[in-house]
Amino acid sequence: MASFLRTGLIAVKKGVTATFDTFGARVCTTVLQVQDCQVMQVLNKPDGRVALQLGAVNRKPKNLYASQVAQFEKLGLNPKQYVKEFYVSEDCVIPAGTELLARHFNPGQLVDVTGWTVGKGFAGAMKRWNFKGGPASHGSSKFHRGLGSTGNRKQPGRVFKGKKMPGRLGNEKDTQLNLEVFRVDALHNLIFLRGAVPGHTNSVVFIRDAVKAKHGDLPVPTWTPEEGQDLMEFDLAPPSRNIFKPITQR
């Protein structure tokens, strides 16, 4: 496990697409874009830990309250739509005002992504909890999609807390662990992740280094382009395993 703790990133989910690896295999990836992600301030917590407050996606000052605009003006930054804190180690503190780019993550490494699932509104027990329901034909009278008994008789005379019943489905905080960074487009600040990410299109997600995986050489505390460096050379795709069986000579 790494001895350092880097900051994460705030990104926007742009959708799902299909890409191809070095062997020509089709890979389903989720595209995330890092938009105007900056370090707002360094926070020293009462328990001794250090956190970085990040902001992403610039907003127009006219759409904010005057007190909110004054807060960002005090920090010398443009107003941000999303604000998030990430705990970091002492050697990964980044000065306020620094812009964080998609190349903060290396192709091939594993990351954890936190977002909010798609809200589906009020749903029944079969859709929400995958209940079987009642018989579809024989012996069933108006009980095809019912959830069944919800309690007993006189004892205990109530419904236990946590009973699986109809209610709101989705719109819950969810974290997907150990997603592989398939590709990084540094020119357009895009991160391609192998697999699915919670949330709908244009929803906000938080990306950080996977806590249950070992990492190789990562840019500490973050990656910054050198002067005059071409960003296109970092539009990388990691080498992947060949899923096709070799053709044997007969």
Side-chain angles (χ1 to χ4, degrees), residues 149-164:
S149 175
T150 58
N152 297 321
R153 300 178 70 182
K154 185 175 181 180
Q155 292 296 332
R158 61 187 177 88
V159 178
F160 290 112
K161 292 184 178 180
K163 173 63 180 174
K164 295 180 179 179

